[in-house]
């Protein structure tokens, strides 16, 4: 009897496998029955996977998100643009200007104090940039600003070759360089050295000249990015208008207000994924500090905290560093529908922040330290917890 | 369990399997009769691998239905696709160049979308006309130029020169609709000049500007059986509808033989692995097992090529925009009807089925890619005059239209058509010629409201 049962099971499972091989329409029928919001493959049981046994046991199947397409608060989108996006890009552009000036002062007078000031200005610039992560859509990608300012890793071989060459270094020439030879990480490499803490005596004139040109080039890109949002460049309309007018009849980019809210929430989720799965978790699992993004300055933890802050700013419609708070936001929208959920998200953001705060720094030193393992694991888990809540509970309301 | 018992099993399993297959085939035939591609839900463009996201993240989602193992390979591939290469020696990602177009896959395929027609995102393909003593290279499908090869690498690592200087300028033209409304079109003029006297530019150089096409949904396109394409193809136009449709036959670097071409703007790549390997070698100057350096050395391993290809293979297709407003919905439905009436759907096929696939989620899906993957004569206006394997100078592969409405949501300002000349979908339609001349004329003759409805439909994809 037992043996017969097994044979029957085997027959069924082989049949399912065979049916897939010859093109039986079972899976597509299953898909057809789903509606858009649930455009996921049903988990388990479908499509003959079960019969194969063991496959995919290490995790649930990937699935689509269940957006409701009901978010209709255009004011929250406009408010986010005015209170977070534009002020953050203004702040970033100002900080790149300050960095450029600090580098110039250091180039003119290479003192310990001026070096420290230039390094501090780099850190401020970096923190401001990383808080824009949640709204990295629009011109930042397509007009190449993201690549020009934040390519990683740095092309050290090329930079060293440029430094050992004789060609004059100018801003115009730096603007033509490959993305991996300029931008924030090239400045970081030159300003901090490969091991965070390059002594003053090691700076050559050519290095400070190069730094100066890099600083000016970064500032120009930051200004152009801001202009693309504020006024529009290259004959294009201001991108703030495109985003803030989501849902207007003539808006083909964001035909509905919900589409813009989904842009924002997807950006929040993406920022959390970057920290929780890529920038922290991947180097941690590999136990390899080479993968830490700002390792020349030993300030990768600032990147992570700023990315997390960026996600929270997106949810709250806030830019705390400039004391700005939108009247309406994703948070207020959720609070109106499900106050408990809004509280939960806020509490989880707070927990993620405090967990990340508890990780000893510099991360470059503690990533491979067994004593810090517990803190790092808690940070990763708490960041992924916010992400899960957003995906599973907030998304179905947006 | 004893060894004698296990020894007897294979035969009975075989019989069982044969019986199961028979049952499956019978079932399959029965089902086929009842369900001839019913797009039960019009929004599920990618069948079960459809992902609902109408934001700039739309082209970067993992296909629903991947199991744990596939999902982790997808994530690994995502990192490989983003990996920025640098000049050797370097602790990570060494091997860029020495000549190249971009330093990463995602450097051109930004957010996996269509790029802009400017260097750094777009590139120029090059070749010479075939002639006696100038044979077509078997693996490249063209006669490589002695200086530029098959593709102009416009960048180089420090200390090296790019292959040539390139400038792109635009020529504007105007036309008008039947109702008198005027439109403006532009086309690129490519000027290639020598970097120095030793690298002079061939007088009869053929050039073709290309923007990066979107990379999602390609796993589904790869899983469309070749027999389906053979069945749709009509190289002699036997049905006399003025539309031929030919399969390109191209070199497959993976299997080292000639295969059906599916990817690239002239369908000059056979498989995703083959396409990915050539992109690493030609676009980034990164040697890999399928296209090693001349001395046999490699800069990435096979696993990296496969992970990158797997990432694109398993990207979800965005669901069509959900239109709730009844008036707006009606306009979109009108537009869809006009799309069919104008015969756009003859090449931009709205319903096709995938067959077997290595990834279960991609197999046997009813999909709406709006392409037939075939080559069509698109007329003189769009011709690049540069044959590529069996594709002629006026032929282009039908571009998939799924996700079309998200093009500029993913990448604002990006262009349409092979070289990004069209600044809008409307301009792209107006460039159609050759076999698509009739469809274009139908559009030109529509009243404005109908033209707008057609565009609304395309924007809903």
């Amino acid at each position: 009897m037992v043996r017969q049962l097994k044979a029957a099971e085997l027959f069924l499972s082989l049949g399912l496998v065979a049916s897939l091989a010859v093109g039986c329409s079972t899976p597509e029928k299953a898909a057809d029955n789903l509606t858009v919001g649930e455009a996921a493959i049903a988990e388990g049981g479908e499509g003959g996977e079960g019969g194969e046994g063991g496959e995919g046991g290490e995790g649930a199947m990937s699935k689509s998100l269940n957006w409701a397409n009901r978010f209709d608060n255009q004011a929250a989108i406009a408010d986010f643009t005015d209170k977070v996006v534009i002020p953050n890009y203004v702040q970033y552009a100002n900080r790149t200007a300050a960095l450029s000036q600090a580098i110039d002062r250091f180039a003119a007078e290479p003192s310990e104090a001026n070096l420290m000031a230039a390094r501090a200005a780099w850190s401020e610039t970096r923190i401001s940039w990383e808080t824009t992560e949640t709204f990295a859509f629009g011109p930042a990608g397509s007009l190449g600003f993201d690549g020009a300012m934040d390519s990683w890793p740095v092309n050290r071989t090329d930079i060293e070759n440029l430094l050992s060459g004789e060609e004059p270094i100018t801003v115009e020439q730096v603007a033509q360089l490959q993305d991996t030879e300029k931008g924030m990480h090239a400045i970081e490499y030159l300003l901090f050295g490969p091991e965070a803490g390059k002594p003053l005596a090691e700076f050559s004139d050519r290095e400070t000249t190069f730094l100066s040109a890099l600083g000016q080039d970064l500032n120009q890109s930051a200004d152009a990015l801001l202009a693309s949002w504020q006024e529009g460049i290259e004959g294009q309309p201001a991108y703030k208008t495109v985003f803030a007018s989501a849902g207007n009849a003539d808006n083909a980019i964001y035909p509905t207000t919900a589409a813009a809210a989904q842009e924002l929430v997807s950006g929040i989720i993406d920022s959390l994924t970057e920290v929780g799965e890529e920038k922290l978790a991947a180097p941690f699992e590999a136990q390899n500090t080479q993968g830490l993004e700002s390792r020349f300055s030993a300030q990768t933890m600032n990147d992570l905290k700023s990315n997390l802050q960026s996600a929270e700013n997106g949810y709250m419609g806030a830019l705390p560093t400039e004391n700005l708070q939108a009247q309406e936001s994703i948070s207020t929208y959720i609070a109106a529908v499900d106050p408990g959920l809004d509280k939960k998200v806020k509490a989880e953001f707070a927990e993620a922040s405090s967990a990340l705060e508890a990780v000893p720094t510099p991360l470059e030193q503690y990533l491979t330290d067994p004593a810090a393992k517990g803190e790092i694991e808690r940070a990763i888990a708490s960041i992924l917890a916010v992400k899960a809540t957003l995906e599973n509970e907030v998304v179905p309301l947006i | 369990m004893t060894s004698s018992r296990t020894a007897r099993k294979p035969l009975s399993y075989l019989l069982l399997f044969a019986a199961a297959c028979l049952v499956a085939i019978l079932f399959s035939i029965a089902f086929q009769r009842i369900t001839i591609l019913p797009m039960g839900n019009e929004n599920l463009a990618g069948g079960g691998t459809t992902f609902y996201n109408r934001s700039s993240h739309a082209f970067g989602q993992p296909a629903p239905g991947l199991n744990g193992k596939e999902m982790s390979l997808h994530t690994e591939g995502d990192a490989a696709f983003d990996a920025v290469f640098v000049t050797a020696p370097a602790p990570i990602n060494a091997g860029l160049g020495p000549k190249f177009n971009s330093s990463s896959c995602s450097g051109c395929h930004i957010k996996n979308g269509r790029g802009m027609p400017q260097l750094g995102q777009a590139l120029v393909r090059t070749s010479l006309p075939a002639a006696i003593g100038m044979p077509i290279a078997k693996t490249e499908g063209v006669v490589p130029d002695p200086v530029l090869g098959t593709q102009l690498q416009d960048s180089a690592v420090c200390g090296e020169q790019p292959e040539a200087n390139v400038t792109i300028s635009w020529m504007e033209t105007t036309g008008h609709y039947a109702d008198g409304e005027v439109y403006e079109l532009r086309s690129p003029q490519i000027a290639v000049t020598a970097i120095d006297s030793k690298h002079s530019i061939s007088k009869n150089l053929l050039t073709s500007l290309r923007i990066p096409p979107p990379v999602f949904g390609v796993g589904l396109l790869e899983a469309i059986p070749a027999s389906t394409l053979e069945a749709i193809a009509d190289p002699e136009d036997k049905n006399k509808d003025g539309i031929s449709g030919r399969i390109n036959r191209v070199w497959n670097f993976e299997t080292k033989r000639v295969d059906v071409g599916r990817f690239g703007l002239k369908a000059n790549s056979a498989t995703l692995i083959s396409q990915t390997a050539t992109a690493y070698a030609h676009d980034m100057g990164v040697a890999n097992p399928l296209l090693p350096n001349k001395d046999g050395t490699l800069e990435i391993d096979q696993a990296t090529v496969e992970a990158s290809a797997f990432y694109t293979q398993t990207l979800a297709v965005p669901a069509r925009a959900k239109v709730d407003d009844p008036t707006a919905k009606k306009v979109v439905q009108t537009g869809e009807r006009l799309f069919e009436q104008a015969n756009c759907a003859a090449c931009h096929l709205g319903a096709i089925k995938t067959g077997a696939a290595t990834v279960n989620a991609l197999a046997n899906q009813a999909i709406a890619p709006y392409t037939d993957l075939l080559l069509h004569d698109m007329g003189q206006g769009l011709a690049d005059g540069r044959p590529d394997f069996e594709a002629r100078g006026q032929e282009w592969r039908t571009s998939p239209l799924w996700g079309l409405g998200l093009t500029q949501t993913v990448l604002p300002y990006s262009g349409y058509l092979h070289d990004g000349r069209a600044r809008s979908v409307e301009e792209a339609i107006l460039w159609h010629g050759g076999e698509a001349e009739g469809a274009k004329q139908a559009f030109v003759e529509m009243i404005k409201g109908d033209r707008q409805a057609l565009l609304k439909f395309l924007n809903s994809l």
Side-chain angles (χ1 to χ4, degrees), chain A residues 1-268:
Chain A
M1 186 61 202
V2 173
R3 201 161 171 272
Q4 273 175 351
L5 250 180
K6 276 193 175 159
E9 275 171 18
L10 190 67
F11 182 86
L12 279 174
S13 60
L14 282 171
L16 277 167
V17 173
S19 70
L20 285 174
V22 298
C24 172
S25 50
T26 307
E28 117 214 350
K29 275 187 64 196
D32 282 349
N33 292 335
L34 294 167
T35 56
V36 163
E38 313 143 345
I41 257 209
E43 284 147 287
E46 297 276 355
E49 189 78 63
E52 289 172 28
E55 271 260 308
E58 54 193 274
M61 279 201 178
S62 59
K63 53 181 183 179
S64 181
L65 296 183
N66 191 14
W67 300 99
N69 282 317
R70 61 187 250 196
F71 186 95
D72 55 0
N73 187 345
Q74 199 187 43
I77 301 301
D79 241 16
F80 176 74
T81 314
D82 292 342
K83 298 280 173 40
V84 184
V85 179
I86 300 295
N88 201 154
Y89 280 140
V90 168
Q91 179 194 66
Y92 171 64
N94 287 340
R95 289 186 184 185
T96 61
L99 169 62
S100 178
Q101 285 159 14
I103 289 173
D104 286 350
R105 273 196 296 276
F106 171 61
E109 193 195 321
S111 67
E112 193 69 43
N114 283 342
L115 175 58
M116 289 305 139
R119 283 179 180 166
W122 182 88
S123 305
E124 292 296 303
T125 302
R126 182 74 190 155
I127 286 168
S128 184
W129 171 250
E130 291 295 307
T131 56
T132 68
E133 182 77 36
T134 289
F135 43 91
F137 55 87
S142 60
L143 295 183
F145 298 124
D146 199 343
M149 299 193 292
D150 191 18
S151 271
W152 187 91
V154 167
N155 194 329
R156 286 170 64 174
T157 303
D158 276 11
I159 288 178
E160 292 302 336
N161 284 339
L162 278 165
L163 288 170
S164 61
E166 309 250 301
E167 279 183 46
I169 295 174
T170 62
V171 188
E172 294 73 29
Q173 185 233 352
V174 161
Q176 299 303 313
L177 288 178
Q178 298 300 323
D179 285 351
T180 53
E181 299 160 0
K182 62 181 176 185
M184 260 174 281
H185 289 301
I187 296 175
E188 181 196 15
Y189 173 65
L190 290 174
L191 207 51
F192 291 84
E195 301 296 336
K198 179 176 177 176
L200 181 63
E202 285 182 16
F203 283 86
S204 69
D205 284 353
R206 207 168 151 79
E207 279 175 312
T208 52
T209 308
F210 194 10
L211 269 169
S212 234
L214 288 170
Q216 288 178 56
D217 177 65
L218 181 72
N219 182 218
Q220 284 174 6
S221 292
D223 284 347
L225 173 56
L226 172 61
S228 70
W229 273 84
Q230 253 179 339
E231 299 123 40
I233 59 171
E234 298 177 14
Q236 303 292 347
Y239 210 71
K240 70 170 180 187
T241 317
V242 174
F243 193 60
S245 70
N248 285 5
D250 58 348
N251 192 326
I253 307 290
Y254 296 103
T256 61
T257 308
Q262 288 165 16
E263 180 70 79
L264 177 49
V265 174
S266 297
I268 296 169

Side-chain angles (χ1 to χ4, degrees), chain B residues 62-337:
Chain B
L66 301 182
N67 63 33
K69 219 162 86 186
E70 290 162 345
M71 195 51 216
S72 82
L73 186 53
H74 177 92
T75 307
E76 193 188 311
D78 190 357
F81 199 79
D82 275 342
V84 174
F85 285 85
V86 294
T87 314
I92 37 175
N93 305 348
L96 176 68
K99 296 177 198 300
F100 59 95
N101 296 102
S102 183
S103 51
S104 65
C105 305
S106 60
C108 290
H109 299 284
I110 302 171
K111 297 179 192 286
N112 301 335
R114 273 186 182 76
M116 289 173 70
Q118 59 188 34
L119 297 179
Q121 295 184 30
L123 57 81
V124 178
R125 296 223 186 280
T126 55
S127 61
L128 294 176
I132 295 160
M134 299 289 281
I136 288 171
K138 184 175 75 173
T139 60
E140 303 294 336
V142 296
V143 181
D145 179 79
V147 172
L148 307 173
T150 61
Q151 176 173 324
L152 195 162
Q153 276 110 6
D154 52 54
S155 300
V157 300
C158 185
E160 296 271 341
Q161 299 265 46
E163 288 184 328
N165 298 312
V166 188
T167 53
I168 304 169
S169 55
W170 296 95
M171 194 172 79
E172 302 270 348
T173 52
T174 56
H176 59 84
Y177 289 104
D179 65 8
E181 190 179 317
V182 175
Y183 56 75
E184 283 178 15
L185 300 176
R186 61 165 195 177
S187 57
Q189 312 293 306
I190 309 297
V192 180
T193 51
I195 209 91
D196 58 37
S197 57
K198 279 184 289 185
H199 299 90
S200 57
I201 304 302
S202 304
K203 288 225 160 49
N204 50 352
L205 182 71
L206 304 176
T207 60
S208 186
L209 180 68
R210 305 290 177 86
I211 60 164
V215 297
F216 65 85
V218 288
L220 294 165
L221 299 181
E222 195 175 40
I224 296 171
S227 57
T228 302
L229 302 181
E230 304 270 7
I232 310 168
D234 183 15
E236 316 297 330
D237 191 19
K238 286 197 175 126
N239 67 356
K240 301 272 182 252
D241 65 349
I243 297 169
S244 62
R246 303 194 312 125
I247 291 175
N248 203 354
R249 308 271 172 188
V250 306
W251 184 253
N252 182 343
F253 284 90
E254 194 186 352
T255 55
K256 310 253 186 293
R257 61 164 200 236
V258 171
D259 264 330
V260 170
R262 292 166 191 266
F263 305 109
L265 293 148
K266 288 209 182 216
N268 71 350
S269 284
T271 63
L272 293 172
I273 299 259
S274 189
Q275 196 283 331
T276 304
T278 50
Y280 269 116
H282 295 158
D283 300 0
M284 295 179 262
V286 174
N288 59 77
L290 298 190
L291 287 101
N293 282 321
K294 280 189 185 124
D295 62 4
T297 53
L298 304 178
E299 282 142 353
I300 49 168
D301 58 14
Q302 183 69 15
T304 305
V305 175
E306 284 175 11
S308 235
F310 189 83
Y311 170 68
T312 62
Q313 184 187 10
T314 51
L315 281 167
V317 175
R320 277 181 63 181
K322 204 175 167 196
V323 186
D324 294 326
D325 174 47
T327 321
K329 191 166 189 166
K330 212 171 161 206
V331 173
V332 169
Q333 283 166 343
T334 304
E336 184 164 13
R337 208 180 57 241

Side-chain angles (χ1 to χ4, degrees), chain B residues 42 320 327-345 370 401 429 443 446-461:
Chain B
E42 62 184 16
R320 277 181 63 181
T327 321
K329 191 166 189 166
K330 212 171 161 206
V331 173
V332 169
Q333 283 166 343
T334 304
E336 184 164 13
R337 208 180 57 241
L338 290 164
F339 182 80
E340 276 155 28
Q341 282 169 4
N343 213 19
C344 308
Y370 293 95
L401 301 183
I429 296 171
F443 181 67
M446 283 177 197
I447 56 164
K448 185 158 186 163
D450 283 354
R451 297 202 302 269
Q452 282 172 339
L454 180 60
L455 292 170
K456 287 266 185 210
F457 159 67
L458 292 171
N459 206 49
S460 78
L461 298 180

